[in-house]
């Protein structure tokens, strides 16, 4: 949108008139909050330029995801360059909270006792450390959870052993998260627990794992992402002059997705804004869908808006959905506030209601479908529900190939069931959003491994990693089968004559011939004698290869790739990545990630060009490894702020969480039953209350309440049960917000279905309470 001809809506105009102070903004789905906040940031940068402060001062924008960082950065840069004639990239800084904490700590690491080259472990490594600590604790304390297990299950303990370990991991994670949020060290909590009377097995478990985890970080000379925020806060609180310098540097702070703010984020931004008092917080309390499994708390935004009413603003106009779908979403808000039988007022959905865009707006609301929404009330099993949805979308697609469609699920498992059915039905689909960060990280790690070798071809460990981590997984099942037959001394048959199922081949950790050659590579003294064999070929020394023609063929192909990649090392880093990615990947998401990383590395190379600090390929390879390990938290293709575009005629499959920020012409909301969307009722089912637990207690919630009371000094007032009930209501409120998010993804047509879950015929899951409340607005209609 050209801002020179942009005519703001009245609500946008009031926000863009901001000049200072505490301003809270409640933005409904599809209201253009990113555009509005970006334009406000650009105008504040222009104001700093007029005041002559652009060199030393910046507008600070804090957002939730790294893809949102790129989106904001690009929009603000375009506004400044095209409409204001200012240099993009100057006068503003866009960061996630972790990115901001990293900037602060990197500026003064010695202030918080860190070395200049401190490391940040990624979430995967942190999870592995904690999982190992839990496993070790349960091995030496096998009866930790026994007091909470029903007698029937104690008698058949092994049937629930795996679930017990997962529950123990959840308990440890929750205790560690809350302890860090309160900025309490393990030794402080341990000392407090030692002063309590009675036995507290859940706390013993959590504090032991917390202590082991922190020791492991100390040994590695590393911190995790929560520590990074805590250390940044410590730096700000320790050095008043440092804090004052940063307050002067960032005279305006704009916070996006403020409904997901946490206590640590609230504390940091309040410190940075306490001198100038210029803090804009934008969010939608009705889209706070991360509160039960993170430190996010919607109350911070709600309280901020209530405490600063003079500048409180709404962004109520949305051109995303057709009027009937807007009315449905508003009906959910009103029902939750006036008729929900279980949620207290502070847990219900909140105003503002969504309003359509004004007449003549450049984003008019779309025309409704026929019908605009439909509730499928038939009682179906999960499999039958999927069949029904696929029949519907198969009928709809041929006449609507120019439109977008999504099938949304409340959880990954049901989403994978949908993709399997779509694949079997040979319907076109895109499951990019359903994939975890793991698949993205694997692709980044593949690129990192190859570039690491190109940067250091003389290091045999790098060469062996390319063979083990990159090259052999690319072999097809026929090639693997032939290698295994050769290893066993069998005659070579047709590649199609597999001696075992493909799945069995793929489950092998590392086939023996592959591992044997990897060990040989690691012991190689001169990698050049293998990669560029002149005058001698190192392979001739490996006499055990003489009887394995198949492996030798594979190794020669591997060498050919190495030669080609080594010669490509003279290319600029972005061209090098794209060249390698084109050879290694075929999936669109992997190719898109390659391009994303290429652009990022090219920017870093430009920023560190010339002089003694110039980054060459080894430095860029190291930074790529940091990215692949997610130490910088930049792997964002599962984030949705600008990272995904729906494809007309192709069915998107995603969780509702992953769909936040996106929209489709037609949306199917599936599995809207009382298990996925409980209401807080005693009769509903709650996944956090384990089937083997006594009294239906939520052990994670009980442990969190125990650590909360321990942090205050005493456990004397703790009683079992209330924390479980509170957790039920919190989950019910969050799932109601998730339902709202699902509804507001639809532009023209919305189909809502439910299934009975994997329960016995005598105990099927009924539709969610909100499903039943909304469907009474209109009788069922036929859909295509």
């Amino acid at each position: 949108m050209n801002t020179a001809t942009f005519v703001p809506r009245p609500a946008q105009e009031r926000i863009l008139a901001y000049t200072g102070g505490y301003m809270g903004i409640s933005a409904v789905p599809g209201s253009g909050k990113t555009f509005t906040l970006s334009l406000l940031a650009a105008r504040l940068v222009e104001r700093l330029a007029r005041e002559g402060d652009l060199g030393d001062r910046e507008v600070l924008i804090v957002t939730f995801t790294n893809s949102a960082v790129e989106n904001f950065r690009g929009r603000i840069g375009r506004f400044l360059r095209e409409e204001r004639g200012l240099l993009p990239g100057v006068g503003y800084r866009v960061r996630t909270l972790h990115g901001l904490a990293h900037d602060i700590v990197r500026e003064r690491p010695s202030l918080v006792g860190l070395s200049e080259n401190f490391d940040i472990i990624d979430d995967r490594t942190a999870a592995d450390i904690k999982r190992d600590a839990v496993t070790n604790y349960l091995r030496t304390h096998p009866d930790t959870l026994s007091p909470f297990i029903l007698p029937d299950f104690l008698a058949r303990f092994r049937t629930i052993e795996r679930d017990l370990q997962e529950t123990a991991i959840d308990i440890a994670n929750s205790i560690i998260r809350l302890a860090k949020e309160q900025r309490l060290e393990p030794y402080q909590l341990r000392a407090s627990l030692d002063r309590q009377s009675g036995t507290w097995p859940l706390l013993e478990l959590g504090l032991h794992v917390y202590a082991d985890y922190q020791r492991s970080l100390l040994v590695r000379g590393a911190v995790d992402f929560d520590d990074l925020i805590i250390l940044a806060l410590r730096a700000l609180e320790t050095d008043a002059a440092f804090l004052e310098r940063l307050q002067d540097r960032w005279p305006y702070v704009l916070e996006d997705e403020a409904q997901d703010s946490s206590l640590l984020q609230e504390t940091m931004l309040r410190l940075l804004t306490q001198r100038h008092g210029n803090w804009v917080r934008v969010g939608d309390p009705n889209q706070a869908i991360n509160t039960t499994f993170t430190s996010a708390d919607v109350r911070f935004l709600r309280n901020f808006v209530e405490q600063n009413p003079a500048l409180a603003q709404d962004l109520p106009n949305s051109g995303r959905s057709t009027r009937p779908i807007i009315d449905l979403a508003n009906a959910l808000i009103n029902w939750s506030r006036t008729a929900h039988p279980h949620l207290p007022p502070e847990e219900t959905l909140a105003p503002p209601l969504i309003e359509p865009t004004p007449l003549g707006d450049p984003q008019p609301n779309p025309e409704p479908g026929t019908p605009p929404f439909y509730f499928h009330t038939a009682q179906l099993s999960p499999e039958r529900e999927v069949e029904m949805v696929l029949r519907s979308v198969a009928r709809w697609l041929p006449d609507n190939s120019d439109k977008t469609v999504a099938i949304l699920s409340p959880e990954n498992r049901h989403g994978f069931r949908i993709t399997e059915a779509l694949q079997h039905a040979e319907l076109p689909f895109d499951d990019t959003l359903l994939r975890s960060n793991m698949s993205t990280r694997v692709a980044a790690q593949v690129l990192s491994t190859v570039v690491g070798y190109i940067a250091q071809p003389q290091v045999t460990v790098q060469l062996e990693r390319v063979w083990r981590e990159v090259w052999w997984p690319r072999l097809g099942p026929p090639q693997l089968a032939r290698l295994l037959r050769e290893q066993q001394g069998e005659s070579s048959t047709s590649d199609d004559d597999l001696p075992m199922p493909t799945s069995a081949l793929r489950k092998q950790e590392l086939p023996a011939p592959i591992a044997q050659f990897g060990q040989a590579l690691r012991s190689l003294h001169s990698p050049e004698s293998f990669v560029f064999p002149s005058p001698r070929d190192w392979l001739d020394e490996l006499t055990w290869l003489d009887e394995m023609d198949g492996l030798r063929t594979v190794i020669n192909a591997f060498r050919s790739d190495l030669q080609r990649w080594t010669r490509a090392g003279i290319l600029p880093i972005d061209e090098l990545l794209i060249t390698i990615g084109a050879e290694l990947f075929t999936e669109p998401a992997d190719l898109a990630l390659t391009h994303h990383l290429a652009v990022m590395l090219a920017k870093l190379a430009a920023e560190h060009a010339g002089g003694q600090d110039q980054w060459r390929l080894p430095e860029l390879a190291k930074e790529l490894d940091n990215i692949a390990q997610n130490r910088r938290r930049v792997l964002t293709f599962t984030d949705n702020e600008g990272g995904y575009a729906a494809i007309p005629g192709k069915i998107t499959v995603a969780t509702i969480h992953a769909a936040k920020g996106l929209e489709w012409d037609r949306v199917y909301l599936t599995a809207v039953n009382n298990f996925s969307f409980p209401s807080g009722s005693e009769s509903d089912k709650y996944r956090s209350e384990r089937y083997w637990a006594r009294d239906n207690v939520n052990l994670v919630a009980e442990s969190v309440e125990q650590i909360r009371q321990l942090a205050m000094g005493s456990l004397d007032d703790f009683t079992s049960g209330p924390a479980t009930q509170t957790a039920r209501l919190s989950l019910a409120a969050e799932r109601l917000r998730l339902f709202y998010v699902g509804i507001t993804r639809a532009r023209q047509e919305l189909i809502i279905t439910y299934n009975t879950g994997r329960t016995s015929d005598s105990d099927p899951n009924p539709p969610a309470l909100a499903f039943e409340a909304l469907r009474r607005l209109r009788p069922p209609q036929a859909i295509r």
Side-chain angles (χ1 to χ4, degrees):
M1 185 180 295
N2 189 316
T3 56
T5 59
F6 167 64
V7 178
R9 299 165 187 158
Q12 291 174 315
E13 195 166 17
R14 290 190 292 270
I15 292 167
L16 294 172
Y18 170 86
T19 57
Y22 288 141
M23 180 166 70
I25 303 170
S26 298
V28 305
S31 60
K33 72 173 178 64
T34 302
F35 178 90
T36 305
L37 197 61
S38 299
L39 186 53
L40 174 60
R43 291 186 178 183
L44 293 174
V45 171
E46 184 183 23
R47 181 176 182 179
L48 292 179
R50 288 200 307 267
E51 295 171 355
D53 290 336
L54 205 54
D56 302 321
R57 310 177 83 189
E58 298 173 323
V59 176
L60 175 64
I61 301 97
V62 180
T63 187
F64 192 63
T65 66
N66 285 286
S67 52
V69 168
E70 296 301 320
N71 196 3
F72 272 110
R73 189 180 287 145
R75 285 175 181 264
I76 296 169
R78 286 193 296 274
F79 290 158
L80 291 173
R81 180 180 63 252
E82 298 172 5
E83 313 298 342
R84 307 292 172 182
L86 295 174
L87 188 64
V90 178
Y92 59 97
R93 182 180 305 217
V94 190
R95 293 289 189 270
T96 62
L97 179 67
H98 295 99
L100 175 61
H102 184 265
D103 288 351
I104 292 170
V105 173
R106 277 291 179 200
E107 194 161 329
R108 294 286 303 278
S110 60
L111 194 60
V112 291
L114 292 178
S115 64
E116 292 286 342
N117 60 343
F118 73 89
D119 196 11
I120 306 169
I121 66 166
D122 70 335
D123 291 333
R124 179 181 57 175
T125 304
D128 288 344
I129 295 171
K130 286 181 275 193
R131 177 177 288 274
D132 289 344
V134 168
T135 301
N136 292 334
Y137 185 83
L138 292 180
R139 187 177 296 122
T140 55
H141 302 79
D143 296 327
T144 294
L145 297 180
S146 295
F148 309 100
I149 301 174
L150 289 166
D152 287 350
F153 289 100
L154 277 174
R156 40 197 176 98
F157 186 84
R158 289 198 175 278
T159 64
I160 62 170
E161 198 167 11
R162 182 174 179 180
D163 199 40
L164 288 173
Q165 178 166 4
E166 293 304 316
T167 300
I169 291 170
D170 290 342
I171 290 169
N173 280 330
S174 297
I175 286 177
I176 292 171
R177 184 171 65 241
L178 183 61
K180 292 199 173 192
E181 185 180 281
Q182 299 291 332
R183 292 195 270 174
L184 292 170
E185 297 287 345
Y187 74 88
Q188 295 172 299
L189 293 167
R190 178 77 260 174
S192 181
L193 183 59
D194 289 343
R195 293 192 295 269
Q196 310 302 313
S197 58
T199 58
W200 304 91
L202 301 183
L203 288 178
E204 291 287 354
L205 162 68
L207 294 187
H208 187 94
V209 173
Y210 185 20
D212 278 1
Y213 175 63
Q214 291 302 109
R215 275 195 297 271
S216 181
L217 294 183
L218 184 63
V219 168
R220 295 164 184 254
V223 297
D224 66 14
F225 288 109
D226 288 332
D227 290 331
L228 197 62
I229 300 171
I230 293 167
L231 292 172
L233 279 170
R234 187 181 301 168
L236 297 177
E237 293 168 344
T238 300
D239 190 330
F242 181 46
L243 172 60
E244 186 173 332
R245 188 162 70 252
L246 294 182
Q247 289 169 337
D248 288 339
R249 181 185 300 171
W250 299 317
Y252 298 100
V253 175
L254 312 183
E255 180 187 3
D256 180 41
E257 300 289 1
Q259 78 276 356
D260 291 317
S261 191
S262 64
L263 176 61
L264 295 177
Q265 179 165 331
E266 168 98 355
T267 305
M268 182 183 295
L269 297 186
R270 195 167 289 282
L271 276 173
L272 291 173
T273 57
Q274 66 183 5
R275 280 185 70 227
H276 51 68
N278 299 327
W279 188 5
V280 177
R281 310 186 77 175
V282 185
D284 182 359
N286 295 338
Q287 296 191 78
I289 55 176
N290 303 309
T291 55
T292 59
F293 54 91
T294 70
S295 297
D297 194 331
V298 68
R299 288 177 296 181
F300 292 120
L301 176 59
R302 285 178 170 172
N303 292 343
F304 183 86
V305 172
E306 291 172 3
Q307 293 164 8
N308 301 281
L311 288 179
Q313 301 290 344
D314 292 337
L315 267 179
N317 301 104
S318 173
R320 171 181 293 166
S321 301
T322 187
R323 282 293 299 264
I325 293 177
I326 288 177
D327 292 342
L328 189 71
N330 288 339
L332 184 63
I333 295 175
N334 289 330
W335 170 79
S336 78
R337 297 177 64 80
T338 61
H340 198 293
H342 307 298
L343 292 183
E346 65 273 13
E347 293 279 22
T348 61
L349 298 174
L353 299 179
I354 305 173
E355 298 177 15
T357 54
L359 190 65
D361 191 271
Q363 187 189 10
N365 296 90
E367 291 297 315
T370 308
F373 59 83
Y374 171 79
F375 291 83
H376 192 80
T377 58
Q379 182 173 292
L380 301 173
S381 68
E383 293 80 9
R384 293 292 303 280
E385 180 195 31
V386 172
E387 291 173 8
M388 185 275 297
V389 168
L390 261 62
R391 285 197 303 270
S392 172
V393 75
R395 289 193 302 269
W396 181 85
L397 270 178
D399 296 331
N400 296 276
S401 59
D402 59 334
K403 293 185 177 181
T404 57
V405 57
I407 304 174
L408 305 182
S409 165
E411 60 181 15
N412 275 309
R413 182 179 299 178
H414 194 53
F416 291 135
R417 186 181 294 122
I418 293 166
T419 60
E420 288 173 6
L422 285 168
Q423 192 166 18
H424 182 73
E426 298 184 345
L427 290 171
F429 70 93
D430 179 5
D431 63 348
T432 302
L433 294 172
L434 198 61
R435 298 174 191 165
S436 67
N437 264 336
M438 186 62 68
S439 61
T440 300
R441 190 175 301 154
V442 165
Q445 188 61 62
V446 165
L447 292 171
S448 170
T449 300
V450 175
V451 173
Y453 159 73
I454 296 172
Q456 296 178 298
Q458 75 283 2
V459 179
T460 55
V461 173
Q462 298 281 20
L463 182 60
E464 189 266 342
R465 281 189 65 198
V466 176
W467 169 254
R468 173 170 44 87
E469 298 179 10
V470 177
W471 217 89
W472 92 263
R474 300 172 66 205
L475 299 180
Q479 292 169 299
L480 285 174
R482 182 178 181 187
L483 294 183
L484 291 172
R485 285 195 300 271
E486 287 183 345
Q487 175 199 354
Q488 296 161 5
E490 299 176 10
S491 61
S492 179
T493 58
S494 166
D495 284 345
D496 295 327
D497 183 20
L498 298 181
M500 63 181 75
T502 301
S503 58
L505 288 168
R506 282 304 184 194
K507 287 177 182 176
Q508 298 241 350
E509 288 295 324
L510 199 66
I514 303 296
Q516 188 174 359
F517 184 68
Q519 292 169 358
L521 284 175
R522 188 179 284 266
S523 62
L524 182 61
H525 294 296
S526 175
E528 295 87 351
S529 64
F530 165 60
V531 181
F532 295 101
S534 177
R536 66 183 184 88
D537 188 347
W538 170 74
L539 286 182
D540 294 338
E541 300 176 15
L542 305 182
T543 56
W544 55 273
L545 282 176
D546 292 344
E547 303 300 321
M548 302 189 70
D549 292 339
L551 181 58
R552 184 178 286 273
T553 300
V554 167
I555 291 171
N556 283 328
F558 171 58
R559 175 159 55 188
S560 177
D561 280 357
L562 289 176
Q563 292 171 349
R564 192 166 58 257
W565 293 339
T566 303
R567 293 187 180 103
I570 62 172
L571 295 173
I573 185 62
D574 52 340
E575 294 182 28
L576 177 62
L577 277 184
I578 290 172
T579 298
I580 296 170
E583 290 195 20
L584 294 176
F585 304 135
T586 57
E587 290 290 328
D590 294 338
L591 293 170
L593 173 67
T594 302
H595 183 266
H596 181 67
L597 293 175
V599 171
M600 184 182 302
L601 268 293
K603 287 181 180 178
L604 287 172
E607 290 172 4
H608 297 82
Q612 294 183 343
D613 295 329
Q614 179 174 354
W615 280 18
R616 302 187 187 278
L617 190 56
E619 289 80 16
L620 291 167
K622 182 179 180 181
E623 185 62 20
L624 181 58
D625 185 59
N626 286 333
I627 293 170
Q629 298 298 331
N630 218 14
R631 297 188 185 104
R632 301 290 186 263
R633 282 200 170 180
V634 299
L635 296 183
T636 58
F637 271 67
T638 53
D639 300 331
N640 298 327
E641 295 288 340
Y644 179 83
I647 304 170
K650 205 167 190 178
I651 305 161
T652 299
V653 184
T655 63
I656 305 174
H657 279 92
K660 184 174 175 291
L662 301 174
E663 60 187 56
W664 292 267
D665 296 311
R666 172 179 272 213
V667 168
Y668 293 84
L669 281 186
T670 65
V672 186
N673 56 38
N674 76 332
F675 181 72
S676 295
F677 297 88
S679 66
S681 166
E682 289 286 340
S683 62
D684 283 346
K685 301 170 184 176
Y686 301 86
R687 67 183 70 240
S688 50
E689 296 173 18
R690 309 310 298 159
Y691 59 93
W692 43 258
R694 292 176 181 265
D695 305 319
N696 293 324
V697 294
N698 180 337
L699 293 180
V700 174
E702 299 292 320
S703 66
V704 166
E705 182 58 27
Q706 289 176 15
I707 197 72
R708 195 186 309 278
Q709 292 193 24
L710 182 65
M712 294 187 290
S714 174
L715 288 164
D716 292 345
D717 295 332
F718 176 80
T719 56
S720 180
T724 294
Q725 183 58 37
T726 300
R728 285 181 175 182
L729 295 176
S730 296
L731 178 63
E734 181 179 276
R735 287 290 161 147
L736 185 66
R737 296 191 290 267
L738 188 67
F739 189 33
Y740 175 84
V741 168
I743 289 171
T744 54
R745 299 312 93 197
R747 286 174 43 78
Q748 295 179 287
E749 298 177 80
L750 174 67
I751 296 94
I752 306 177
T753 70
Y754 87 99
N755 64 58
T756 57
R758 295 198 170 278
T759 58
S760 65
D761 292 339
S762 61
D763 187 29
N765 292 331
L769 185 65
F771 177 107
E772 293 284 37
L774 288 188
R775 79 172 179 83
R776 296 190 187 101
L777 293 175
R778 167 175 299 193
Q781 301 177 47
I783 61 166
R784 289 194 62 203

